[in-house]
Amino acid sequence: MQREQIRAKLAAAAPAIAPSILLCDYTQLAQEISSLEQAGARLLHLDVMDGHFVPNFTFGMTIVEAARRSTDLPLDVHLMMDNPGRYLRQFREAGADVITVHEEVCHDQSELADLVAEIRDLGALSGVAINPPTPLESIDKVVTDCDLILCMSVMPGFGGQEFNPVALEKLAALRDRDDVTAFLEVDGGVNHDTIADCTQAGANMLVVGSAISSGADYNERFAELERLIK
Ligand code: DX5
Ligand code: ZN
C-alpha cells in the first residue's frame, strides 16, 4: 500500500483499536490474525524488540512478512530497537505500512528527522514514539510533519504493565495544537479501565495487547473495547 491509501484506511477506521500480536500464539499466526480481523480489527500492531533498547526480544522482519502474507490490514510496526535506520528498508519491503521509531535511540533531533524522512521516502507512514519520561519538546523538530505520534503509557518491553497517565497529558497537548496532523497513538496498559480516558485525551490509535489476547474470545473483548471508544 502507498502512503495515501494507508492514511485513508487509518483515517476511516479512527478511533481504532490496534491489537498487538505480541502475546499471540505464533504457531497459529495466520489463524490469530484472522481471528483479530474477524473480531473487527482495522489494523494490526507489531512489536519489534531487540533485547538492547528494551529488555526483551520478539521478532524481526520475518514475522512482519508472514503477517503481511496473512492479511491485507495495515501493519503498524513499532520498532523498539537501537539503530532502526539500518533496517527501515527491510521492514518496508516485508510489508510494514506504518513504521515507528523511538526518539530515545536518536542522538539528536536531526537524526530523528532524517529517520522520519527516510520512512516517508520508502512509502510508509512515519511514526515517532516517546517513552513516559521523554518530554514532547524532544520531538519538536518532527512533530508537525511525522504521520503518527506514539505516546507510550508504559516503559516498553513487556505486555500487561500498568497504564501510566503521563501519556494522557501529552496526547491532550498534541490534540490541542492546530499544526499537528499526525495520528495520535497510545500504547501500554490500554484496557477497559483506561481506554476511554485515552480517546478523551485525543488518542485515535489505541494499541491493545493483553486486554484482548489474554482472553479466549477476541470477538467479545474487541467489541467491549470498541463500545468504550465509539
Ligand atoms: C509494550 C508494547 C506494547 C504491548 C502492549 O512494550 O509496545 O505494544 O504489546 O501490551 P499491553 O496492552 O498488554 O500493555
Ligand atoms: Zn507497541
Side-chain angles (χ1 to χ4, degrees), residues 57-106:
F57 283 103
T58 52
F59 50 77
M61 44 294 265
T62 315
I63 292 285
V64 174
E65 197 268 334
R68 179 72 296 155
R69 281 187 285 120
S70 309
T71 181
D72 291 328
L73 291 179
L75 300 181
D76 170 29
V77 177
H78 178 191
L79 297 182
M80 286 162 276
M81 62 189 293
D82 284 321
N83 203 0
R86 192 166 168 188
Y87 302 100
L88 294 176
R89 177 172 296 277
Q90 289 174 64
F91 278 107
R92 176 62 178 152
E93 285 172 0
D97 296 300
V98 183
I99 301 179
T100 298
V101 295
H102 268 265
E103 182 278 337
E104 297 82 6
V105 306
C106 296

Side-chain angles (χ1 to χ4, degrees), residues 52-206:
H52 194 255
F53 173 59
V54 290
N56 195 9
F57 283 103
T58 52
F59 50 77
M61 44 294 265
T62 315
I63 292 285
V64 174
E65 197 268 334
R68 179 72 296 155
R69 281 187 285 120
S70 309
T71 181
D72 291 328
L73 291 179
L75 300 181
D76 170 29
V77 177
H78 178 191
L79 297 182
M80 286 162 276
M81 62 189 293
D82 284 321
N83 203 0
R86 192 166 168 188
Y87 302 100
L88 294 176
R89 177 172 296 277
Q90 289 174 64
F91 278 107
R92 176 62 178 152
E93 285 172 0
D97 296 300
V98 183
I99 301 179
T100 298
V101 295
H102 268 265
E103 182 278 337
E104 297 82 6
V105 306
C106 296
H107 296 103
D108 53 35
Q109 294 210 29
S110 299
E111 188 180 343
L112 184 61
D114 288 347
L115 290 172
V116 164
E118 203 181 323
I119 295 168
R120 193 185 310 119
D121 290 346
L122 289 167
L125 298 195
S126 56
V128 170
I130 50 175
N131 282 340
T134 304
L136 274 182
E137 294 70 51
S138 63
I139 57 167
D140 270 345
K141 202 171 167 146
V142 293
V143 75
T144 56
D145 66 10
C146 62
D147 300 297
L148 179 145
I149 301 165
L150 168 52
C151 296
M152 292 301 300
S153 37
V154 297
M155 282 304 283
F158 301 93
Q161 302 182 72
E162 193 177 335
F163 184 82
N164 182 337
V166 73
L168 299 176
E169 294 159 33
K170 296 180 195 172
L171 290 163
L174 291 166
R175 177 205 47 204
D176 291 344
R177 283 181 60 162
D178 291 334
D179 56 350
V180 172
T181 56
F183 292 103
L184 301 182
E185 186 168 60
V186 61
D187 183 1
V190 178
N191 58 33
H192 301 79
D193 296 325
T194 56
I195 198 165
D197 290 342
C198 295
T199 45
Q200 269 157 32
N204 53 14
M205 294 289 141
L206 303 128

Side-chain angles (χ1 to χ4, degrees), residues 10-17 199 203-206 226 229-230:
L10 296 191
I17 293 165
T199 45
N204 53 14
M205 294 289 141
L206 303 128
E226 234 174 15
I229 63 167
K230 297 271 157 124

Side-chain angles (χ1 to χ4, degrees), residues 20 22 45 47 49 78 80 156-160 187-189 207-210:
S20 168
L22 182 64
H45 184 83
D47 285 307
M49 301 188 190
H78 178 191
M80 286 162 276
F158 301 93
D187 183 1
V207 179
V208 180
S210 50

